[in-house]
Amino acid sequence: LVQVDDEIIWTAERLELAALANDPATPEGLRGYVGSYVGPAVFPSNKETLFHAFEPFGRGLEASADMWAELAAMPPAEADAQRVGLLADLVSSVSFLHTRGLPHLCLNDRTVRIGRERPDGPLRLRLVSLGAGPSLNAANRTFQVPRTWAYTAPEVLSGVLVQSNLPALFAMDAWTVGTIAAMIVSGSTESSQSAKPEWYRLQFNERAAVLQRITDRTERMNDFLFELDEASGGFLFRSGWLVELMLNLLRQDPQERTTVRTAWQKLCANVPALAPPPPAPPVT
């Protein structure tokens, strides 16, 4: 269940969720919506409770250690295929939202869930709710970035104010998609940007520590890629296209960062099984 405090936002989300549920083109990662409901008033506000219901599915990335252990025990070809499937679920879902003009902005280790649709099926990935997009469109108000700093784009960590600028919001999502993709590649339950403040380095909060970690990693990106490849059992370097994708999603300058829609196109180009079928020929 996802509770919403604002009726205007709840209504906008309900309409968008219903539209996605009825659209056959909606990716698997955005499915699972059951319905939206109004609950009884709660003391002391005496306001009705508004929430969206989703099918129970898997666990958040933060609690996925056993699933990564299963992948590590599989033959390399099978494990690689399942990782590609998870990456496809992630990138296709966010790309689909972007084509509808909806940035997510709330992707993290709790809102991204991994599980199986059936006990003997492959691992799949789903997003919890639609993030901030519907609320931005419905309420037309300044959006407060969630304080999950380890998943936050560097331009936000450095204090740049972004408001009413869709390309900039999409670029923030692209960074987070790259961060979560790195977790999928390496089989990690924690963002590679996670950092704790180090007082002797004049880092007085987590936000500053994460920004410094990103800056340090950018300066040694080759080492970072080798670490990811080792953790993935060679999956990263067996997939040259994925190296390029990671580098382009994790560019510190948002203007140089690839878009999620472009990332999905490149993924489909390199994994033919993911490409949509060609259009049917015109009827003559």
Side-chain angles (χ1 to χ4, degrees), residues 3 23 30 33 47-48 78 150 192 212 231 252 257 277-278:
Q3 186 171 342
D23 187 345
L30 293 173
Y33 172 66
K47 290 177 58 178
E48 292 177 324
E78 183 179 354
S192 60
Q212 185 59 54
Q252 197 160 352
R257 202 175 298 151

Side-chain angles (χ1 to χ4, degrees), residues 261-281:
R261 282 178 284 183
T262 298
W264 175 237
Q265 292 168 0
K266 289 188 175 297
L267 209 163
C268 290
N270 287 278
V271 185
L274 300 176

Side-chain angles (χ1 to χ4, degrees), residues 36-37 50-51 82 130 168 182 186 205 229 235:
S36 299
Y37 305 95
L50 308 170
F51 57 91
Q82 295 223 25
L130 301 178
S186 62
N205 52 50
D229 184 66
F235 167 60

Side-chain angles (χ1 to χ4, degrees), residues 64-84:
S64 59
D66 60 331
M67 299 183 191
W68 298 136
E70 286 182 36
L71 280 186
M74 292 179 184
E78 183 179 354
D80 288 3
Q82 295 223 25
R83 287 193 180 94
V84 169

Side-chain angles (χ1 to χ4, degrees), residues 9-61:
I9 293 174
W10 175 81
T11 301
E13 291 178 341
R14 176 174 61 85
L15 293 173
E16 192 66 44
L17 286 165
L20 291 176
N22 293 320
D23 187 345
T26 298
E28 175 59 34
L30 293 173
R31 295 202 174 273
Y33 172 66
V34 175
S36 299
Y37 305 95
V38 179
V42 177
F43 181 83
S45 66
N46 290 324
K47 290 177 58 178
E48 292 177 324
T49 52
L50 308 170
F51 57 91
H52 308 299
F54 298 85
E55 297 172 358
F57 181 81
R59 294 190 293 276
L61 286 173

Side-chain angles (χ1 to χ4, degrees), residues 140-219:
N140 193 26
R141 62 189 63 163
T142 302
F143 174 70
Q144 297 295 322
V145 177
R147 295 192 176 188
T148 48
W149 300 126
Y151 298 88
T152 300
E155 60 268 24
V156 178
L157 294 170
S158 60
V160 176
L161 178 65
V162 178
Q163 186 175 6
S164 300
N165 184 337
L166 268 182
L169 299 178
F170 289 160
M172 290 161 58
D173 270 348
W175 174 271
T176 311
V177 166
T179 299
I180 295 173
M183 295 172 67
I184 294 171
V185 168
S186 62
S188 175
T189 60
E190 186 178 40
S191 163
S192 60
Q193 276 89 249
S194 296
K196 294 181 179 179
E198 296 177 338
W199 302 98
Y200 68 91
R201 300 182 70 181
L202 301 180
Q203 298 170 359
F204 301 115
N205 52 50
E206 182 187 359
R207 181 174 181 167
V210 170
L211 180 59
Q212 185 59 54
R213 184 174 182 87
I214 291 172
T215 301
D216 293 344
R217 190 193 64 192
T218 300
E219 296 174 355

